[in-house]
Amino acid sequence: MIAVNVSPDDIVLVAGATGGVGQLTVAKLLEKGLKVRALTRNPGKVATMFDNRVEVAEGDILNPDSLQNAVRNVKYILCCTGTTAFPSDKWQFNSNWNWFEALFDSQKLKQKAANTPEKVDFIGVTNLVNAAPRDLKRFVFVSSCGIHRKNSFPFSILNAFGVLDAKEKGEQSIINSGLPYTIIRPVRLIDGPYTSYDLNTLLKATTQGKLGVVIDTGDKVVGETSRIDVAAACVECLTYTETENKVFELVNQGRRPQTIDWQTLFTKLTN
Ligand SMILES: NC(=O)c1ccc[n+]([C@@H]2O[C@H](COP(=O)([O-])OP(=O)(O)OC[C@H]3O[C@@H](n4cnc5c(N)ncnc54)[C@H](OP(=O)(O)O)[C@@H]3O)[C@@H](O)[C@H]2O)c1
C-alpha cells in the first residue's frame, strides 16, 4: 500500500461544504492542516461555520460560469453536494406543487423545480467535472448504494424521483472524464450534523462508538453509514493510491475498533 501525503500547499475544493457530510469533510481537512476552499451558494454561512479558516468560493454547480473561480489552481475536488430524493424545499420549486402531481405526473413536477436530483447529481456534477483543472490529483464523489439495485426494495422506492438514475449518470461523467477519481457509495446516512454546528463541535464529532467500518464493492451491502465515516473516507482516500479510479461502498457493521485503520480497509480494493 503506497501512502502519499497531501501537500499543505495544495488547495482542496469541497463542493457542498455546508451539507452534513461536507461540513465534517472540511473539519477533517482542517484537522490535517490542509488548505480548504469551500464552494457554496451561501458564502456568509461558510465564513462563520468554519471560523474564517477556509477560503470561500461562491458558486452554484448548475451554473458553469460560477465555477471558474472556485476551481482555479485546485489539486483535489471533494464533491459532497446533493438534494433530497423526494420533493422538498431543497428542490427549489418555482411554482406550487402537490403530492397528487408528485405521484401522477412526476415529469411535470420536476420541470417546476430548479434543484432536482437529475440537476444536482447529474448535470451539476458533470459541470464540476468539466470545470476541473486537467492536472487535478483526485475527484472524490459521494454517490449512493443502490445504483445497481434500482429494481429491488428499498432502492425502487428511493429511486421514485430518479435520484439513483442521476447518481449513476454523475458517476459515469466522472469515470469518462479521464480525471483520477474515487467514488464512495454510502448506504442510508446516519449521524449529524443535521443542522450547522460550530467548528469545534465538528472536529469532536464522534459516532459514539457505534459500529466498525466495512468497505465493499459490487453494490451488495445493506445497512447504514455514519456521515462521520463518509467524511473520513473522503479525506483518507487522498493518501492512498490504491483508492485511485475505484468505486466502493461504505457501511457500518461489526464491532468498532478504537481507531479506524483506513490503510487496511483500503487494501480490500487491491484484490
Ligand atoms: N441521506 C442519505 O441517506 C444518503 C444516502 C446515500 C447517499 N447520500 C448522498 O450523500 C451526500 C451527502 O449527503 P448530506 O446529507 O450530507 O447532504 P446535505 O446535507 O443535503 O448537503 C447537500 C449540500 O449540497 C449543496 N448543494 C445543493 N445544491 C447545490 C447546487 N446547485 N450548487 C452548489 N451546492 C449545492 C448544499 O448547499 P446549500 O447549503 O447551498 O444548500 C449542501 O451543502 C449527498 O450527495 C447525498 O445524495 C445520502
Side-chain angles (χ1 to χ4, degrees):
M1 175 78 51
I2 306 162
V4 189
N5 284 331
V6 176
S7 163
D9 295 326
D10 285 348
I11 302 170
V12 185
L13 178 72
V14 180
T18 55
V21 171
Q23 289 180 41
L24 292 158
T25 300
V26 171
K28 293 257 172 228
L29 291 164
L30 292 176
E31 193 175 43
K32 285 183 180 280
L34 300 175
K35 208 182 265 183
V36 182
R37 185 181 293 162
L39 171 65
T40 181
R41 297 178 293 176
N42 196 336
K45 194 167 157 189
V46 166
T48 46
M49 189 178 276
F50 303 117
D51 289 349
N52 295 308
R53 285 175 60 187
V54 302
E55 201 189 313
V56 182
E58 185 171 359
D60 184 325
I61 58 171
L62 300 183
N63 175 0
D65 290 343
S66 75
L67 301 177
Q68 295 311 314
N69 281 335
V71 298
R72 188 157 297 130
N73 299 327
V74 300
K75 291 287 181 256
Y76 300 89
I77 296 178
L78 312 189
C79 182
C80 310
T81 50
T83 188
T84 51
F86 299 97
S88 76
D89 285 352
K90 292 196 175 180
W91 282 27
Q92 299 174 342
F93 286 96
N94 50 29
S95 61
N96 291 337
W97 66 279
N98 55 52
W99 276 103
F100 184 81
E101 191 174 31
L103 293 173
F104 295 103
D105 199 347
S106 67
Q107 284 311 323
K108 195 168 156 206
L109 179 84
K110 285 186 218 163
Q111 284 161 13
K112 289 183 174 180
N115 225 44
T116 58
E118 168 81 5
K119 288 180 181 149
V120 177
D121 294 318
F122 171 43
I123 296 168
V125 170
T126 306
N127 288 339
L128 193 55
V129 164
N130 291 340
R134 292 299 103 184
D135 64 347
L136 194 78
K137 294 182 180 172
R138 196 78 67 89
F139 191 107
V140 179
F141 178 50
V142 181
S143 181
S144 178
C145 277
I147 278 171
H148 301 297
R149 288 176 279 175
K150 281 183 269 191
N151 294 327
S152 356
F153 183 82
F155 301 109
S156 49
I157 304 289
L158 184 66
N159 197 41
F161 292 91
V163 69
L164 296 175
D165 298 327
K167 286 281 191 198
E168 184 176 18
K169 291 195 275 182
E171 286 192 5
Q172 278 311 315
S173 290
I174 295 164
I175 292 166
N176 295 340
S177 70
L179 295 169
Y181 67 85
T182 303
I183 293 170
I184 301 172
R185 295 173 175 160
V187 206
R188 193 173 74 84
L189 290 178
I190 54 164
D191 284 333
Y194 303 107
T195 54
S196 302
Y197 278 58
D198 60 47
L199 183 56
N200 267 338
T201 315
L202 288 169
L203 287 171
K204 288 185 197 136
T206 72
T207 62
Q208 298 177 336
K210 276 177 197 139
L211 294 169
V213 176
V214 170
I215 279 179
D216 201 8
T217 56
D219 198 9
K220 301 183 291 285
V221 296
V222 288
E224 297 176 322
T225 315
S226 165
R227 283 184 174 81
I228 296 164
D229 292 325
V230 179
C234 286
V235 177
E236 294 295 334
C237 75
L238 306 180
T239 306
Y240 299 103
T241 50
E242 283 76 3
T243 61
E244 190 174 307
N245 298 342
K246 297 281 165 54
V247 183
F248 61 87
E249 291 85 47
L250 196 69
V251 63
N252 289 120
Q253 282 173 4
R255 200 176 59 81
R256 192 172 186 93
Q258 198 82 22
T259 51
I260 302 294
D261 180 353
W262 289 99
Q263 178 163 350
T264 303
L265 284 173
F266 289 143
T267 55
K268 177 133 197 200
L269 301 174
T270 59
N271 301 330

